[in-house]
Structures are given as C-alpha cells and as structure tokens.
Amino acid sequence: MKKILILTASIGALGAAAPSFGTDLAEQPAKVKAVPLPAAAPIIDWSGYYIGVNGGWGTSRNCWDFNGVTPEGCHNSTGGTIGGQIGYRWQIFNMVYGIEGQGNWADFNGSNVSTAFPADTVGTTTDAFGLLTGHIGYAFNAVLLYGKGGAAVTSNIYHVSSVATGAEIGKNDDVRWGGVLGAGAEVSLTPNWSAGVEYNHLFMQRSNISFPAALGADRVHQDVDLITARLNYKFGSPFAK
C-alpha cells in the first residue's frame, strides 16, 4: 500500500511539474539566422587622367565696325562642331578639381548686308576653336556638377561679297584669343566611362581685319556660345574608395 501511495504521489508531482516545464520550453527564444546587411553601393572616384570626344552646336555673334567707327551691323554664325578633350582630375572628399585642354573643328557661318555699304554683304566663318580651362566641381557619387574657366582661341575667316552678284570682293582671316566661362554635368556610366553635357561662353577680344585698299578695314567684335555632349574615358584600374 505504501508503494502505491508513493507511486501515486510521484505521478501527481510529475503531472504538476509538466505544464511548468512545457512553459519553460515554450519561452525559449527561437534561433533565427541573421539577415545579411545589404552591400554598400560603390563610391565613384573621379580622380585620374581622361581623354574624350565631344560634339554639338555653336553660334558666334560678330559685329563689324568700318575703320572701327562706322557700324556695319551684326550677324550670328551658327553650325556644328566636333572635337576632343584631354585632362586630369583629382577628388578631395566631394570636391573635384581639374585641368583640361580641348580642341574642336567648327563650321559656324553667317552674314548680313552692311548697314554702312548696302551693296556689300559682310560675313564670318569660325572654323576651329580651342579651350584651356581649370575646373571645380562637386560629386554626388556618380554625378559630377562643375564650373570651368580659362583661355579660349578661335580661328576665323572674314569675307566681303557683292549683294548683286554674290561674288567675293575681299577676304581675310585671323586667330584671336579671349576667355571662357562654362558649366557642365557628367554621369559615371562605369568605373572608366562617363558621359555629360556642357555649356561654354567665349569672350573674344576685338580684332582689326584688313581688306584690299578699296574696302579698307573693319574692327570685329566676337562672342561665342557652345553646347556640347561629351564622352570621356578615364585611365587606370577601376577602383572605389
């Protein structure tokens, strides 16, 4: 009888402890595998040498003054341009600094009937230009916004023609120097390739252009506006900060 009572008491105690034990098991935290952190996006470094091509549109505003005194009117010489650039950039945190040389072929043509000599047409052709500029910009990782400024040079041909026949009666050319201010935006396509768009305004010095004695000379003022698309290749092994 005693053994039966002990067995019964033991079973009862075991039954009473079972819910508590089950509760303890239920409260054990489940082991969940940690979710991997997303990989950080690569940081684009704009530093390095680069070379590229560009092309677009330009207009040259030319105003002629006969013998530097009598206005003959103004005209816009417009057309296409294509060329190349080479430069170097270095990046310090988000600031990007650089220097660049650019050379372009151009086909900007325009003319007007002289207001001083209505029998004549005066015209200007800009067939090439070059830029040597310093750059300063701010990088939003893969996007670079920048301003630029420096020296500019243009190659020009000036001609005087008969309104009645169209025959050329005078021609001369010159190379003139001036300054340039511009701005652009560039997007990194790969660690080495980038593409962008750029605007430049050229402030060119006035130039005295001599023609045959019968035509005298003209003082010509010139400004140039350029809009170009650009594609650059940066040298060196791809790398991120």
Side-chain angles (χ1 to χ4, degrees), residues 191-210:
N192 293 95
W193 289 97
S194 61
V197 63
E198 188 174 281
Y199 166 77
N200 290 290
H201 182 81
L202 281 57
F203 308 84
M204 309 309 295
Q205 65 178 348
R206 295 177 184 269
S207 185
N208 293 318
I209 309 300
S210 297

PDB file of all heavy atoms in Angstrom, residues 191-210:
ATOM      1  N   PRO A 191      33.164  52.346 -64.061  1.00  0.00           N
ATOM      2  CA  PRO A 191      34.326  52.951 -63.387  1.00  0.00           C
ATOM      3  C   PRO A 191      35.242  53.732 -64.318  1.00  0.00           C
ATOM      4  O   PRO A 191      36.003  54.575 -63.863  1.00  0.00           O
ATOM      5  CB  PRO A 191      35.035  51.732 -62.782  1.00  0.00           C
ATOM      6  CG  PRO A 191      33.942  50.751 -62.531  1.00  0.00           C
ATOM      7  CD  PRO A 191      32.993  50.928 -63.692  1.00  0.00           C
ATOM      8  N   ASN A 192      35.202  53.466 -65.627  1.00  0.00           N
ATOM      9  CA  ASN A 192      36.088  54.165 -66.562  1.00  0.00           C
ATOM     10  C   ASN A 192      35.373  55.124 -67.508  1.00  0.00           C
ATOM     11  O   ASN A 192      35.965  56.110 -67.958  1.00  0.00           O
ATOM     12  CB  ASN A 192      36.880  53.151 -67.397  1.00  0.00           C
ATOM     13  CG  ASN A 192      37.865  52.365 -66.569  1.00  0.00           C
ATOM     14  OD1 ASN A 192      37.563  51.271 -66.116  1.00  0.00           O
ATOM     15  ND2 ASN A 192      39.039  52.914 -66.333  1.00  0.00           N
ATOM     16  N   TRP A 193      34.127  54.854 -67.853  1.00  0.00           N
ATOM     17  CA  TRP A 193      33.415  55.662 -68.843  1.00  0.00           C
ATOM     18  C   TRP A 193      32.434  56.620 -68.177  1.00  0.00           C
ATOM     19  O   TRP A 193      31.761  56.268 -67.210  1.00  0.00           O
ATOM     20  CB  TRP A 193      32.644  54.771 -69.817  1.00  0.00           C
ATOM     21  CG  TRP A 193      33.519  54.009 -70.761  1.00  0.00           C
ATOM     22  CD1 TRP A 193      33.951  52.723 -70.632  1.00  0.00           C
ATOM     23  CD2 TRP A 193      34.079  54.491 -71.992  1.00  0.00           C
ATOM     24  NE1 TRP A 193      34.754  52.362 -71.695  1.00  0.00           N
ATOM     25  CE2 TRP A 193      34.847  53.435 -72.555  1.00  0.00           C
ATOM     26  CE3 TRP A 193      34.010  55.710 -72.671  1.00  0.00           C
ATOM     27  CZ2 TRP A 193      35.532  53.563 -73.759  1.00  0.00           C
ATOM     28  CZ3 TRP A 193      34.700  55.839 -73.875  1.00  0.00           C
ATOM     29  CH2 TRP A 193      35.436  54.771 -74.406  1.00  0.00           C
ATOM     30  N   SER A 194      32.342  57.833 -68.731  1.00  0.00           N
ATOM     31  CA  SER A 194      31.368  58.820 -68.258  1.00  0.00           C
ATOM     32  C   SER A 194      30.861  59.626 -69.446  1.00  0.00           C
ATOM     33  O   SER A 194      31.534  59.744 -70.472  1.00  0.00           O
ATOM     34  CB  SER A 194      31.988  59.742 -67.205  1.00  0.00           C
ATOM     35  OG  SER A 194      33.091  60.461 -67.746  1.00  0.00           O
ATOM     36  N   ALA A 195      29.677  60.186 -69.290  1.00  0.00           N
ATOM     37  CA  ALA A 195      29.059  60.999 -70.345  1.00  0.00           C
ATOM     38  C   ALA A 195      28.449  62.236 -69.712  1.00  0.00           C
ATOM     39  O   ALA A 195      28.028  62.214 -68.544  1.00  0.00           O
ATOM     40  CB  ALA A 195      27.994  60.203 -71.096  1.00  0.00           C
ATOM     41  N   GLY A 196      28.405  63.322 -70.489  1.00  0.00           N
ATOM     42  CA  GLY A 196      27.866  64.553 -69.925  1.00  0.00           C
ATOM     43  C   GLY A 196      27.484  65.555 -70.985  1.00  0.00           C
ATOM     44  O   GLY A 196      27.561  65.298 -72.190  1.00  0.00           O
ATOM     45  N   VAL A 197      27.075  66.713 -70.508  1.00  0.00           N
ATOM     46  CA  VAL A 197      26.706  67.835 -71.378  1.00  0.00           C
ATOM     47  C   VAL A 197      27.333  69.089 -70.793  1.00  0.00           C
ATOM     48  O   VAL A 197      27.491  69.203 -69.564  1.00  0.00           O
ATOM     49  CB  VAL A 197      25.172  67.966 -71.497  1.00  0.00           C
ATOM     50  CG1 VAL A 197      24.539  68.280 -70.148  1.00  0.00           C
ATOM     51  CG2 VAL A 197      24.782  69.006 -72.531  1.00  0.00           C
ATOM     52  N   GLU A 198      27.697  70.034 -71.672  1.00  0.00           N
ATOM     53  CA  GLU A 198      28.440  71.207 -71.223  1.00  0.00           C
ATOM     54  C   GLU A 198      28.026  72.450 -72.013  1.00  0.00           C
ATOM     55  O   GLU A 198      27.741  72.378 -73.209  1.00  0.00           O
ATOM     56  CB  GLU A 198      29.939  70.943 -71.393  1.00  0.00           C
ATOM     57  CG  GLU A 198      30.839  71.991 -70.783  1.00  0.00           C
ATOM     58  CD  GLU A 198      32.307  71.587 -70.877  1.00  0.00           C
ATOM     59  OE1 GLU A 198      32.758  70.762 -70.053  1.00  0.00           O
ATOM     60  OE2 GLU A 198      32.995  72.088 -71.795  1.00  0.00           O
ATOM     61  N   TYR A 199      28.013  73.592 -71.319  1.00  0.00           N
ATOM     62  CA  TYR A 199      27.766  74.895 -71.961  1.00  0.00           C
ATOM     63  C   TYR A 199      28.969  75.790 -71.715  1.00  0.00           C
ATOM     64  O   TYR A 199      29.519  75.825 -70.603  1.00  0.00           O
ATOM     65  CB  TYR A 199      26.519  75.564 -71.390  1.00  0.00           C
ATOM     66  CG  TYR A 199      26.428  77.031 -71.777  1.00  0.00           C
ATOM     67  CD1 TYR A 199      26.016  77.403 -73.056  1.00  0.00           C
ATOM     68  CD2 TYR A 199      26.801  78.029 -70.880  1.00  0.00           C
ATOM     69  CE1 TYR A 199      25.966  78.747 -73.425  1.00  0.00           C
ATOM     70  CE2 TYR A 199      26.743  79.365 -71.239  1.00  0.00           C
ATOM     71  CZ  TYR A 199      26.327  79.718 -72.510  1.00  0.00           C
ATOM     72  OH  TYR A 199      26.288  81.042 -72.866  1.00  0.00           O
ATOM     73  N   ASN A 200      29.392  76.521 -72.763  1.00  0.00           N
ATOM     74  CA  ASN A 200      30.504  77.464 -72.636  1.00  0.00           C
ATOM     75  C   ASN A 200      30.177  78.768 -73.352  1.00  0.00           C
ATOM     76  O   ASN A 200      29.552  78.760 -74.422  1.00  0.00           O
ATOM     77  CB  ASN A 200      31.784  76.876 -73.249  1.00  0.00           C
ATOM     78  CG  ASN A 200      32.341  75.723 -72.443  1.00  0.00           C
ATOM     79  OD1 ASN A 200      32.848  75.907 -71.347  1.00  0.00           O
ATOM     80  ND2 ASN A 200      32.225  74.514 -72.980  1.00  0.00           N
ATOM     81  N   HIS A 201      30.621  79.866 -72.759  1.00  0.00           N
ATOM     82  CA  HIS A 201      30.535  81.176 -73.416  1.00  0.00           C
ATOM     83  C   HIS A 201      31.937  81.730 -73.555  1.00  0.00           C
ATOM     84  O   HIS A 201      32.684  81.828 -72.578  1.00  0.00           O
ATOM     85  CB  HIS A 201      29.674  82.145 -72.612  1.00  0.00           C
ATOM     86  CG  HIS A 201      29.521  83.472 -73.288  1.00  0.00           C
ATOM     87  ND1 HIS A 201      28.608  83.679 -74.300  1.00  0.00           N
ATOM     88  CD2 HIS A 201      30.180  84.651 -73.124  1.00  0.00           C
ATOM     89  CE1 HIS A 201      28.699  84.932 -74.720  1.00  0.00           C
ATOM     90  NE2 HIS A 201      29.651  85.540 -74.027  1.00  0.00           N
ATOM     91  N   LEU A 202      32.309  82.087 -74.797  1.00  0.00           N
ATOM     92  CA  LEU A 202      33.633  82.618 -75.098  1.00  0.00           C
ATOM     93  C   LEU A 202      33.550  84.132 -75.271  1.00  0.00           C
ATOM     94  O   LEU A 202      32.727  84.643 -76.046  1.00  0.00           O
ATOM     95  CB  LEU A 202      34.191  81.996 -76.386  1.00  0.00           C
ATOM     96  CG  LEU A 202      34.792  80.584 -76.319  1.00  0.00           C
ATOM     97  CD1 LEU A 202      33.796  79.573 -75.776  1.00  0.00           C
ATOM     98  CD2 LEU A 202      35.299  80.170 -77.686  1.00  0.00           C
ATOM     99  N   PHE A 203      34.404  84.846 -74.525  1.00  0.00           N
ATOM    100  CA  PHE A 203      34.507  86.302 -74.622  1.00  0.00           C
ATOM    101  C   PHE A 203      35.780  86.610 -75.407  1.00  0.00           C
ATOM    102  O   PHE A 203      36.883  86.550 -74.849  1.00  0.00           O
ATOM    103  CB  PHE A 203      34.598  86.932 -73.234  1.00  0.00           C
ATOM    104  CG  PHE A 203      33.522  86.512 -72.272  1.00  0.00           C
ATOM    105  CD1 PHE A 203      33.637  85.338 -71.532  1.00  0.00           C
ATOM    106  CD2 PHE A 203      32.384  87.286 -72.098  1.00  0.00           C
ATOM    107  CE1 PHE A 203      32.663  84.955 -70.633  1.00  0.00           C
ATOM    108  CE2 PHE A 203      31.397  86.909 -71.198  1.00  0.00           C
ATOM    109  CZ  PHE A 203      31.537  85.733 -70.468  1.00  0.00           C
ATOM    110  N   MET A 204      35.633  86.954 -76.678  1.00  0.00           N
ATOM    111  CA  MET A 204      36.807  87.143 -77.519  1.00  0.00           C
ATOM    112  C   MET A 204      37.146  88.623 -77.664  1.00  0.00           C
ATOM    113  O   MET A 204      36.256  89.483 -77.694  1.00  0.00           O
ATOM    114  CB  MET A 204      36.576  86.523 -78.898  1.00  0.00           C
ATOM    115  CG  MET A 204      36.087  85.085 -78.856  1.00  0.00           C
ATOM    116  SD  MET A 204      37.098  84.000 -77.800  1.00  0.00           S
ATOM    117  CE  MET A 204      38.654  84.016 -78.685  1.00  0.00           C
ATOM    118  N   GLN A 205      38.444  88.915 -77.755  1.00  0.00           N
ATOM    119  CA  GLN A 205      38.886  90.294 -77.921  1.00  0.00           C
ATOM    120  C   GLN A 205      38.497  90.823 -79.308  1.00  0.00           C
ATOM    121  O   GLN A 205      38.307  90.060 -80.251  1.00  0.00           O
ATOM    122  CB  GLN A 205      40.399  90.371 -77.747  1.00  0.00           C
ATOM    123  CG  GLN A 205      41.170  89.621 -78.818  1.00  0.00           C
ATOM    124  CD  GLN A 205      42.670  89.740 -78.657  1.00  0.00           C
ATOM    125  OE1 GLN A 205      43.151  90.563 -77.885  1.00  0.00           O
ATOM    126  NE2 GLN A 205      43.427  88.922 -79.382  1.00  0.00           N
ATOM    127  N   ARG A 206      38.363  92.126 -79.405  1.00  0.00           N
ATOM    128  CA  ARG A 206      38.105  92.744 -80.711  1.00  0.00           C
ATOM    129  C   ARG A 206      39.344  92.602 -81.591  1.00  0.00           C
ATOM    130  O   ARG A 206      40.471  92.564 -81.093  1.00  0.00           O
ATOM    131  CB  ARG A 206      37.747  94.218 -80.551  1.00  0.00           C
ATOM    132  CG  ARG A 206      36.439  94.445 -79.804  1.00  0.00           C
ATOM    133  CD  ARG A 206      36.166  95.918 -79.617  1.00  0.00           C
ATOM    134  NE  ARG A 206      34.971  96.139 -78.823  1.00  0.00           N
ATOM    135  CZ  ARG A 206      33.745  96.282 -79.324  1.00  0.00           C
ATOM    136  NH1 ARG A 206      33.579  96.225 -80.638  1.00  0.00           N
ATOM    137  NH2 ARG A 206      32.710  96.489 -78.534  1.00  0.00           N
ATOM    138  N   SER A 207      39.112  92.504 -82.896  1.00  0.00           N
ATOM    139  CA  SER A 207      40.225  92.298 -83.814  1.00  0.00           C
ATOM    140  C   SER A 207      40.074  93.200 -85.030  1.00  0.00           C
ATOM    141  O   SER A 207      38.963  93.372 -85.549  1.00  0.00           O
ATOM    142  CB  SER A 207      40.265  90.831 -84.250  1.00  0.00           C
ATOM    143  OG  SER A 207      41.394  90.576 -85.040  1.00  0.00           O
ATOM    144  N   ASN A 208      41.174  93.777 -85.487  1.00  0.00           N
ATOM    145  CA  ASN A 208      41.170  94.623 -86.681  1.00  0.00           C
ATOM    146  C   ASN A 208      41.473  93.766 -87.906  1.00  0.00           C
ATOM    147  O   ASN A 208      42.519  93.114 -87.978  1.00  0.00           O
ATOM    148  CB  ASN A 208      42.206  95.741 -86.558  1.00  0.00           C
ATOM    149  CG  ASN A 208      41.846  96.734 -85.474  1.00  0.00           C
ATOM    150  OD1 ASN A 208      40.692  97.120 -85.327  1.00  0.00           O
ATOM    151  ND2 ASN A 208      42.838  97.141 -84.684  1.00  0.00           N
ATOM    152  N   ILE A 209      40.557  93.784 -88.876  1.00  0.00           N
ATOM    153  CA  ILE A 209      40.676  92.956 -90.070  1.00  0.00           C
ATOM    154  C   ILE A 209      40.875  93.868 -91.281  1.00  0.00           C
ATOM    155  O   ILE A 209      40.034  94.745 -91.562  1.00  0.00           O
ATOM    156  CB  ILE A 209      39.420  92.088 -90.288  1.00  0.00           C
ATOM    157  CG1 ILE A 209      39.079  91.332 -88.997  1.00  0.00           C
ATOM    158  CG2 ILE A 209      39.619  91.141 -91.449  1.00  0.00           C
ATOM    159  CD1 ILE A 209      40.161  90.416 -88.499  1.00  0.00           C
ATOM    160  N   SER A 210      41.972  93.669 -91.997  1.00  0.00           N
ATOM    161  CA  SER A 210      42.271  94.493 -93.171  1.00  0.00           C
ATOM    162  C   SER A 210      41.836  93.776 -94.445  1.00  0.00           C
ATOM    163  O   SER A 210      41.998  92.563 -94.583  1.00  0.00           O
ATOM    164  CB  SER A 210      43.782  94.784 -93.238  1.00  0.00           C
ATOM    165  OG  SER A 210      44.193  95.522 -92.114  1.00  0.00           O
TER     166      SER A 210
END
